[in-house]
Amino acid sequence: MITIRAAGPEDFDLIASFIRKLADYEKLLHEVVFDDETLRRHLFGDRPAAEVIIGEVDGAPKGFSLFFQTFSTFEGKPGIWLEDLFVEPDARGSGLGRALLSKLASLVVERGGARLEWAVLDWNELGKGFYRTIGAAPVEGWERWRMEGDSLRSLAG
């Protein structure tokens, strides 16, 4: 049986473990540099920057989604950005990934939102194939851009 629940502070170690497993799958484990207390504060402090849901199969945690609110000025409505989605290898194909995304879609609808969005690594054909089966599609004409590190600090003054 699959269940989806909101994460709480007591799930922090589980969330940190899922983040590291996702980064390892994405061949980006070397980029995981978060400080536990900082991440904990941003997830469960006075002003959370993101939310997490945990997916369980037969009562055992097997996956998670970390997400945060976005806003579309064109639609005049909020949305959700899915930052991380991870399902343990032994639970893939169980329907857990779909259940996690279904919960996020229902949150968008419940919150009066316009869209659910995320990025996919260009080499992740398995992920892209799965996303297509649930009706998702790449956004034509857009590139993802980023500013960080020295250039971010330089622009900030």
Side-chain angles (χ1 to χ4, degrees):
M1 179 169 74
I2 293 174
T3 56
I4 307 297
R5 63 175 177 81
E10 68 281 1
D11 294 306
F12 179 80
D13 290 338
L14 176 64
I15 294 164
S17 172
F18 281 149
I19 291 169
R20 288 184 179 97
K21 289 177 181 180
L22 172 63
D24 188 45
Y25 171 78
E26 292 180 338
K27 302 173 183 71
L28 297 170
L29 189 56
H30 62 282
E31 292 188 18
V32 176
V33 296
F34 65 79
D35 167 85
D36 283 4
E37 289 312 308
T38 302
L39 180 59
R40 185 185 314 272
R41 184 178 72 249
H42 286 303
L43 293 179
F44 303 110
D46 293 337
R47 188 175 175 199
E51 299 174 65
V52 178
I53 54 175
I54 304 291
E56 298 176 342
V57 177
D58 297 326
K62 292 291 184 174
F64 87 122
S65 294
L66 187 146
F67 58 97
F68 51 88
Q69 182 173 302
T70 60
F71 192 82
S72 169
T73 55
F74 288 10
E75 297 274 349
K77 296 178 181 179
I80 285 179
W81 179 267
L82 170 59
E83 182 67 18
D84 290 334
L85 173 70
F86 177 76
V87 173
E88 293 275 11
D90 66 342
R92 293 180 188 154
S94 69
L96 182 57
R98 183 182 183 91
L100 287 162
L101 286 167
S102 177
K103 177 61 178 176
L104 293 179
S106 70
L107 288 173
V108 172
V109 172
E110 289 169 17
R111 296 173 182 183
R115 56 179 71 129
L116 172 60
E117 297 179 290
W118 61 92
V120 182
L121 289 167
D122 58 2
W123 57 262
N124 189 353
E125 294 303 324
L126 185 64
K128 291 178 195 179
F130 167 66
Y131 297 138
R132 283 184 181 95
T133 69
I134 62 168
V139 180
E140 297 290 327
W142 289 90
E143 295 179 5
R144 181 175 175 194
W145 286 55
R146 174 182 294 169
M147 180 176 270
E148 60 187 357
D150 290 341
S151 59
L152 178 66
R153 286 185 287 280
S154 176
L155 183 62

